[in-house]
């Protein structure tokens, strides 16, 4: 995974001015969900993924976990396994949006597991 978890990798920057909301999110071994919200802010870039029917709620994924962007297919490919995402701490926007400790926990969770 990228060294800076809260920034997109240079080769994976989203197209300028493109809203990623609704784009599919794909782990290395299967679909994860769709982008519900995102930020491209340097040092604070992330995806909020609506995981749909296979997990309750939304998930916060640091932008550094994006390994490839398929612009034609409107799909973001992660360097994570589906199981890693399934077991991630749930994201509750009202509680976690500005919670620095939660964001540190998210980075620890994804980066400790290491790349797939």
């Amino acid at each position: 995974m990228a060294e800076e978890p809260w920034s997109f990798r240079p080769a994976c920057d989203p197209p300028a001015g493109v809203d990623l909301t609704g784009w599919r999110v794909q782990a290395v071994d299967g679909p994860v969900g769709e982008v519900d919200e995102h930020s491209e802010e340097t040092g604070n870039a992330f995806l909020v993924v609506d995981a749909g029917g296979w997990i309750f709620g939304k998930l916060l994924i640091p932008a550094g976990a994006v390994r490839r962007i398929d612009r034609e297919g409107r799909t973001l490919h992660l360097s994570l396994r589906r199981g890693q995402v399934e077991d991630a701490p749930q994201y509750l926007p009202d509680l976690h949006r500005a919670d620095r400790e939660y964001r540190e926990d998210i980075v620890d969770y994804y980066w400790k597991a290491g790349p797939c």
Side-chain angles (χ1 to χ4, degrees):
M1 278 188 264
E3 288 183 30
E4 174 49 52
W6 300 106
S7 294
F8 284 97
R9 300 172 194 203
C12 295
D13 278 336
V18 173
D19 183 4
L20 300 176
T21 303
W23 282 43
R24 289 183 294 278
V25 179
Q26 181 85 15
V28 295
D29 56 351
V32 173
E34 292 185 350
V35 176
D36 185 64
E37 178 185 341
H38 67 96
S39 168
E40 298 173 36
E41 181 183 337
T42 302
N44 187 35
F46 59 84
L47 306 171
V48 175
V49 176
D50 183 345
W54 60 272
I55 190 170
F56 179 75
K58 297 180 182 183
L59 303 166
L60 181 70
I61 300 177
V66 176
R67 69 177 172 94
R68 185 170 66 88
I69 295 178
D70 175 0
R71 289 166 176 81
E72 289 182 27
R74 294 176 39 96
T75 303
L76 302 171
H77 295 268
L78 304 177
S79 59
L80 303 169
R81 292 180 310 278
R82 186 174 168 159
Q84 288 174 284
V85 177
E86 286 176 345
D87 295 338
Q90 185 178 18
Y91 175 67
L92 302 171
D94 293 340
L95 292 176
H96 299 133
R97 184 170 306 280
D99 184 343
R100 182 177 292 280
E101 186 175 327
Y102 172 80
R103 289 161 93 43
E104 290 172 5
D105 290 346
I106 288 294
V107 169
D108 286 346
Y109 172 79
Y110 285 123
W111 268 248
K112 274 185 186 176
C116 57

